[in-house]
Amino acid sequence: PQSIVLFYKKPDETFAAKMVAIYHDGKIDDTEAAPKERAKKIDGNPFLCGLDFIWGLTLDADSARYAGKVVDPDSGKTYKCEVWFDTQKQTLVVRGELLIFGVNQYWPPAPPEQK
């Protein structure tokens, strides 16, 4: 794994996702409690851990997917985003989109000892 991400409900009833831990060399060494790495291309250079990098997710009842926005911390660019759970693969699918093009990432659940 590269990081641990927490999805949560915000007071405005939308959902967001933030990094709570980052792995380096197979070990967690950057956490929300003790952040180190910063998002250099985002205004204010916030820490990566604790940063809402996916936000505004709302359920599209027709597709059973959540739609919102995602920011690439390396470039600072914002994209449309869709998130859904693939029951066949038992993994979360996160899709960033620009116009008609998109890329899917498959995020497995955290092992029980890390939940």
Side-chain angles (χ1 to χ4, degrees), residues 10-80:
K10 296 190 66 116
D12 66 0
E13 300 296 313
T14 65
F15 290 87
K18 64 180 176 177
M19 278 186 238
V20 293
I22 300 173
Y23 288 83
H24 292 106
D25 299 321
K27 295 181 183 177
I28 293 175
D29 73 347
D30 195 347
T31 65
E32 188 174 15
K36 296 178 185 174
E37 198 172 339
R38 293 188 176 267
K40 295 175 183 80
K41 297 291 184 171
I42 295 177
D43 288 341
N45 301 83
F47 288 110
L48 287 176
C49 285
L51 173 68
D52 282 353
F53 68 99
I54 297 176
W55 69 93
L57 292 172
T58 57
L59 179 62
D60 178 343
D62 293 334
S63 68
R65 296 179 179 191
Y66 287 84
K69 299 282 185 182
V70 61
V71 64
D72 177 351
D74 293 329
S75 70
K77 294 182 180 179
T78 301
Y79 303 95
K80 291 191 303 183

Side-chain angles (χ1 to χ4, degrees), residues 90-113:
Q90 290 295 297
T91 189
L92 193 68
V93 183
V94 179
R95 179 176 179 81
E97 298 177 343
L98 178 62
L99 302 173
I100 61 170
F101 303 102
V103 175
N104 290 356
Q105 287 188 347
Y106 298 90
W107 296 1
E113 68 273 5

